Amino acid sequence: MSLKSMISQLPKVQKDFNIFTSYIKDAPITNRINDTPLSGKVGAIKDNIATKDFPTTCASNVLKTYNSPFDATVVELLKKDGAIIIGKTNLDEFGMGSLGLHTIFEPVRNPLNDNWCIGGSSSGSAAAVASRISDFALGTDTGGSVRLPSAYSAIYGFKPSYGRISRWGVVAFAQSLDTVGILANDIDTIKKVFQTLDKYDPRDPTSLNVELRDLLKENLLKVNTSDKIKIGIPKEFIQNELAPEIKQTFLKYIESLLKHNKYDVYPVSLPSIRDSLSIYYTLAPAEAASNLAKYDGIRYGTRDTKKPDIIDGDFYNTSRSNFGPEVKNRIILGNYNLCSEGYQNNFIKAQQLRVQMIDQFDKIFKFKNILTKNEPIYDIDFIISPTNLNLPPLIHQGSTISESNPLKEYMNDIFTIPMSLAGLPSISIPFVNSKPHGIQICTQYGNDEKLLEFVKDTM
Ligand code: GLN
């Protein structure tokens, strides 16, 4: 499809699925030579990533009118490599949510069936790819927000190792977990976009430095390719609540691996996985509460100049009340965990449990973690699990779930959060039966290229 005809379809696609928060109206005039790696590729960007050419709203009333004076590093890199950015995509406010319903815009509709939720929080990014209006999209994944909507829309969703893609210009939700991820309909596009973005960025203090990147390359060369590939299934991931259809796909996938004599499958145990939701919902809201403090109507955010800044003794009352209910929940929870009592009892404890979980992953994987230097005990190459526990709910069911019992919504990330806490690369690969779902494959920190190769070989 030519760029022009694709752009002419944007209003209809937007009307059908509420994918974008803003999008281009005319084809850009570009005199770029055609040999750039992403030349001709069309991309969409989650609207919590700063762009000069479009507003950056985070789907929040707090940033409804915000225009960034700069492009995030990832956007700069995409443009430099020739990609055309067609618009900013709808999301759960500030990336908080897993159904795509916590947005000030209309909820994103699933292009596979417009009554289904598409999952979140990178909902619009998944819909842009699933509707084929865009070749790829960038999302952000803090606890599963690239992988879950990818599973719900039957596309590939890749969350690289923490630190491999720059976060400079990405609006922080929980900075120790936030990772830019890539969504696409095929693994080759994911690879190409990853090659463009996988660069050290001095502007991001958590970007993986050049020495460690070189060490990863050296380790990659040492891999003996004639060895059988060992795949681990964590027994803690065996869930009674898993939807039967997803269970069936998972078992079939394991069977298909066993048919090759290239792969061996083993049960493994990572007991800390059981604590992952509690660790995540202690640490992520605490980081979020701190990150969101700057939206006070003075530094960032909207300010109602007709009302006083202090109402009934509360400072910034009018600006802060512009947050949506889910974001407010997180701020309250986060601040509780940062207050002296919560800090000692919960926050510190959660940090310790997070380290314990990383140590357990390090024991299982064949490769040494270049960040922790823990010695491996077993020699597992990849860990597999389903991506999602449930099949996509209907949009009206999703709203009832998130309003009546937020914990049920939080449960959606049960398989994806451990990898976020450990900073590990993981990808959701697509399956559809009666409804779309995904299988998640994950590997040791920094082993991103091998992960993509493995997926390519097995699909
Ligand atoms: N659903 C999780 C949350 O609401 C994860 C979100 C994300 O990865 N951005 O916190």
Side-chain angles (χ1 to χ4, degrees):
M1 192 193 319
S2 79
L3 185 61
K4 238 182 151 170
S5 67
M6 198 269 311
I7 292 172
S8 69
Q9 289 183 21
L10 280 169
K12 160 123 185 38
V13 173
Q14 175 65 0
K15 191 164 165 274
D16 292 345
F17 308 119
N18 304 316
I19 294 174
F20 297 99
T21 55
S22 56
Y23 57 84
I24 49 172
K25 303 284 180 283
D26 298 304
I29 304 159
T30 165
N31 50 9
R32 201 177 295 283
I33 32 164
N34 259 355
D35 59 0
T36 46
L38 297 177
S39 157
K41 291 270 181 215
V42 167
I45 308 284
K46 187 174 180 180
D47 199 14
N48 59 351
I49 300 178
T51 43
K52 283 192 293 207
D53 305 336
F54 305 93
T56 299
T57 69
C58 292
S60 178
N61 274 321
V62 169
L63 287 177
K64 204 165 60 184
T65 54
Y66 178 67
N67 283 296
S68 166
F70 58 83
D71 277 332
T73 301
V74 286
V75 176
E76 266 177 12
L77 289 171
L78 288 177
K79 285 182 173 173
K80 189 164 145 274
D81 273 0
I84 308 279
I85 310 295
I86 50 162
K88 298 294 287 290
T89 58
N90 202 347
L91 66 152
D92 284 297
E93 187 175 357
F94 284 100
M96 299 175 192
S98 47
L99 293 171
L101 302 172
H102 303 295
T103 163
I104 56 164
F105 305 101
E106 290 294 312
V108 179
R109 296 187 166 273
N110 194 325
L112 302 186
N113 178 326
D114 62 8
N115 290 316
W116 297 342
C117 279
I118 190 153
S121 64
S122 309
S123 334
S125 293
V129 171
S131 66
R132 310 219 167 223
I133 198 74
S134 139
D135 297 314
F136 72 91
L138 295 191
T140 57
D141 190 311
T142 305
S145 277
V146 161
R147 290 161 285 165
L148 188 67
S150 299
Y152 276 13
S153 59
I155 60 171
Y156 291 90
F158 173 46
K159 179 202 95 70
S161 299
Y162 179 83
R164 288 206 54 171
I165 297 188
S166 166
R167 288 189 303 111
W168 192 77
V170 178
V171 178
F173 161 7
Q175 72 280 8
S176 77
L177 297 148
D178 294 341
T179 312
V180 172
I182 307 161
L183 304 92
N185 279 305
D186 61 278
I187 204 75
D188 289 332
T189 305
I190 300 242
K191 265 189 180 172
K192 268 195 181 167
V193 176
F194 182 55
Q195 274 160 8
T196 290
L197 302 180
D198 178 26
K199 309 246 156 64
Y200 169 63
D201 181 6
R203 293 179 294 191
D204 171 3
T206 57
S207 175
L208 189 68
N209 68 34
V210 176
E211 294 79 57
L212 288 171
R213 283 170 191 266
D214 288 345
L215 184 61
L216 281 180
K217 276 187 211 138
E218 265 172 48
N219 288 349
L220 219 58
L221 292 175
K222 286 189 212 146
V223 180
N224 184 351
T225 44
S226 60
D227 284 354
K228 270 196 164 188
I229 292 176
K230 294 190 173 163
I231 293 144
I233 305 174
K235 65 176 197 278
E236 293 75 13
F237 271 153
I238 296 168
Q239 295 281 339
N240 290 336
E241 297 87 354
L242 184 66
E245 188 170 324
I246 305 178
K247 189 171 167 188
Q248 206 185 6
T249 300
F250 188 55
L251 293 175
K252 267 201 187 152
Y253 181 72
I254 298 170
E255 265 172 36
S256 74
L257 290 176
L258 287 171
K259 275 190 197 136
H260 288 264
N261 58 9
K262 236 168 128 181
Y263 308 117
D264 276 336
V265 180
Y266 298 89
V268 295
S269 176
L270 292 147
S272 290
I273 281 182
R274 292 205 186 93
D275 299 324
S276 51
L277 276 184
S278 325
I279 304 173
Y280 177 87
Y281 279 100
T282 305
L283 299 181
E287 291 184 20
S290 160
N291 286 320
L292 296 172
K294 61 179 170 279
Y295 303 97
D296 52 18
I298 297 171
R299 288 168 290 177
Y300 289 95
T302 39
R303 183 161 174 232
D304 186 347
T305 46
K306 288 189 204 88
K307 287 191 189 151
D309 283 334
I310 302 181
I311 298 177
D312 295 336
D314 289 336
F315 208 22
Y316 306 136
N317 191 322
T318 47
S319 311
R320 305 284 287 171
S321 57
N322 284 325
F323 286 118
E326 184 55 30
V327 177
K328 285 182 185 160
N329 284 346
R330 308 282 178 116
I331 294 175
I332 294 168
L333 183 59
N335 279 320
Y336 172 70
N337 285 325
L338 289 174
C339 75
S340 53
E341 191 188 322
Y343 188 74
Q344 288 303 333
N345 294 342
N346 308 341
F347 188 82
I348 299 279
K349 182 95 202 225
Q351 294 285 22
Q352 288 163 344
L353 290 172
R354 182 177 186 183
V355 173
Q356 200 174 304
M357 175 181 296
I358 295 172
D359 292 347
Q360 288 174 11
F361 272 113
D362 286 349
K363 281 194 185 129
I364 293 229
F365 285 126
K366 176 162 153 192
F367 299 109
K368 220 187 217 174
N369 184 331
I370 57 156
L371 300 180
T372 62
K373 311 227 169 41
N374 284 330
E375 285 301 328
I377 295 183
Y378 300 100
D379 55 354
I380 294 293
D381 292 278
F382 302 102
I383 281 176
I384 57 170
S385 74
T387 310
N388 47 323
L389 187 64
N390 301 306
L391 295 166
L394 295 170
I395 289 183
H396 71 86
Q397 281 171 340
S399 309
T400 320
I401 295 172
S402 78
E403 275 158 30
S404 63
N405 187 353
L407 280 184
K408 266 204 165 160
E409 187 179 348
Y410 298 171
M411 284 286 289
N412 283 322
D413 298 308
I414 194 153
F415 295 119
T416 52
I417 278 179
M419 288 73 196
S420 295
L421 289 169
L424 304 179
S426 25
I427 185 165
S428 177
I429 59 174
F431 293 88
V432 190
N433 226 338
S434 79
K435 278 185 170 185
H437 48 280
I439 287 186
Q440 174 181 238
I441 306 167
C442 130
T443 186
Q444 177 59 293
Y445 182 84
N447 203 21
D448 303 55
E449 286 85 353
K450 285 276 163 217
L451 175 66
L452 299 181
E453 246 172 59
F454 172 78
V455 172
K456 174 106 187 156
D457 283 353
T458 52
M459 291 303 276

